[in-house]
């Protein structure tokens, strides 16, 4: 394979590995919480926050550390990721998420979803949380900074969303994570607020970013053209 | 609109969005705590800390991420923000805070204020907490550094104040947040310590900053003249 | 006063303010914990950690943010602080700590000390904790880096010591803080392990630093000569 | 001794001191948790996380802050640490760990191991956790960045592993730590999953790093040749 093909394959492997790790850790923690081994809120908010901190730091120089189709589509809509890369990212994320769910379900029964709000309320919560997360990510992308500093803020924001909105609904802020878990437990249709809400949030956040910052700046455009990725210093 | 008008409008939108997000998340968490869904101290200290970490990182390059009239006035008094920008900031903050309170009050009853100390005690606590917060902000402004690093310290300081002082009084460290919540629940007069205390703290901190550091340094002055804001690297 | 006298006075004010803030927050939290308002471990470890994070970030460009006679003496022994500055630092720290204790004792009764270990055990714990803290500080000084990044590690280390050793003894890692509290409650003699342990730890850490790193490097020596302090970028 | 011999001796002292500190703090916390003085999960996850944050920051410029034979061997396998240094590192780590265990066992009875999973399950958990940790460390090494930023992510990842996997098994993510504790309590054979799992994880992570990033980059190679260690700025 040529150098470019290797780089593409590595991006896919990084996205798949990242999402499988994220799903495996957060699902395991939810199972342990339902068994009474871990405190519920720490399992639901702290564990996903810490695992995303680790994965963003460890893998962001390879694939940008999306691990989320709502993020991938929002970056493509913004123009900072070429559309040609979108299908590969989405497929890698889906395979990774299924792998993570399969690994957990092979060991223990999957945790049950909990909903204290109506479907449209859950849709609204997913939308608000994804919008907040993508405002952060747009800032990080604009500064061409995806590493330990941005990772800490991303992890904190995800933990915040799962701690607050996640206490009344099975918030995922991630349609692929939700889809993979729903496929294994046969609840795809009932999960529509969690499958569609993040895309609504992603679209909203992209519009807001255009309103607040205008078109791509130089760093975003260079990243999009794939130049900045040649040097490793591009994502610090 | 000219480029300058756009920049002004974006500043206002960023301040309004930031304060509405801050108010919506922290009020929701307080409601969830009173319903027994979230632990009280985590809802009152961790949630505001994490949301301010996210918002400072995501929006500080647009408006400086004040989200607080006591901060805006202290910066104007210091000379690092032109007085002409103050009314717009205050109005945007007020509209944003009202939007946040309205959003929460449309879904659930607002949480009740709790006071274990007398009014002058609450006034003193607000003053001390705002002074501490503004000493941090003055250092960040002086280094022209408002981003993930300063954001973490700001979030930690806010969380500290809400954890300690907030356990005995409805500390806001933010008059607009307090005013918006008081308007909706009709308790404006009784909230005077929380409305006036932060301004006393802001004035005290500005005097202290002058005593300890003297007049504006170059970075603060450039920011004040609006030059440093042209380049995006100014607030990292 | 000349420029130099101003700089000296500012250093003293920063040390006094810092230690009064540290003592006031951590003592108040201990009182609130004994009243059952705050959880004990969070009050004893999280609050001092967060307040030291804020104070190191906000004041370290003025005085180096010692806030502790064991730190001041260890830096003088190392040669990175001129001995002529030591008396002023110690006096400012003592006055600040007394001010903080007085402020709290004017409002509420001071918390009682708790000891689950014998005096020599407490002495050992203070020694180990101060040694650990000063290894961190020596690294930060060597890199001429005392700001948000070092501050986070310092705050985490202090929180760690207070969480572990502090659960079985009234660990201060700070003789002036201990002395001021003991003077107000008349228990100076009984506090000898907490008054002497940190100095043993400081001496041990200075020897260890010499063993591991040899004499002063260029950054430490420049700071000691007072040159690096002229530019504000010296402590980031 | 020549300059080189001093540097070698300092590396050994740093590794031994670091692992003795890590073992002493984390074992003490486990003992305090079994006595009911500290909450179990905080003792098992927060304390090791905070102590590793402190030690990575304070000692990484001396030895690279491995404190773990699985890390040392993975770096040698990768080529970023000369094989000739491996025996010294392993011996220093072993002596340090024994010192830490001895110190704790001289004061209190050692805590008992707990296992809710079968041996192969524990082996799998150790493998997964070490793989995750070494993906982070490989990124940090590649950027020649081992300091406060990488330290925070490393500490968070270790805390995550001990919080989740550690709630059902006596996870060490560190064979030397496990071996030293097992020698003192006479349970070496029963600890095989925790002794071998981390090496499996280290090998897996090294393969993964080669797959994802190819051979050594310039920074890693320079570090391996020992050149980058001459300047102190090499590990920030």
């Amino acid at each position: 394979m040529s150098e470019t093909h290797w780089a593409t394959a590595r991006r896919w492997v990084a996205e798949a590995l990242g999402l499988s790790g994220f799903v495996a850790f957060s699902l395991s923690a939810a199972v342990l919480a339902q068994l009474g081994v871990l405190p519920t809120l720490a399992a639901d908010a702290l564990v996903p926050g810490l695992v995303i901190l680790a994965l963003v730091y460890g893998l962001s120089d390879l694939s940008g550390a999306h691990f989320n189709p709502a993020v991938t589509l929002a970056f493509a809509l913004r123009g900072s990721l070429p559309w040609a890369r979108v299908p590969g990212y989405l497929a890698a994320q889906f395979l990774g998420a299924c792998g993570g769910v399969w690994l957990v379900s092979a060991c223990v029964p999957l945790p049950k979803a909990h909903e204290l709000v109506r479907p449209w309320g859950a849709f609204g919560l997913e939308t608000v949380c994804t919008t907040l997360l993508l405002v952060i990510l747009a800032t990080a992308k604009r500064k061409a900074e995806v590493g330990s500093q941005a990772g800490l803020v991303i992890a904190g924001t995800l933990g915040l969303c799962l701690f607050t909105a996640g206490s009344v609904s099975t918030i995922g802020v991630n349609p692929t994570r939700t889809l993979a878990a729903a496929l294994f437990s046969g609840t795809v249709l009932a999960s529509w607020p969690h499958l569609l809400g993040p895309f609504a949030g992603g679209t909203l956040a992209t519009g807001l970013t255009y309103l607040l910052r205008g078109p791509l700046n130089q760093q975003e455009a260079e990243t999009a053209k794939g130049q900045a990725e040649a040097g490793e210093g591009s994502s610090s």
Side-chain angles (χ1 to χ4, degrees), chain A residues 212-228:
Chain A
L212 286 174
R213 301 178 198 269
L216 294 184
N217 72 352
Q218 203 189 344
Q219 279 133 322
E220 289 176 285
E222 273 179 6
T223 311
K225 275 182 287 179
Q227 294 181 354

Side-chain angles (χ1 to χ4, degrees), chain A residues 63 66 72 75-86 89 141 224:
Chain A
S63 71
H66 298 187
T72 301
F75 282 176
L77 212 58
R78 172 70 174 159
S80 58
L81 183 86
W83 279 101
R85 284 196 197 160
V86 170
Y89 268 65
K141 192 91 183 173

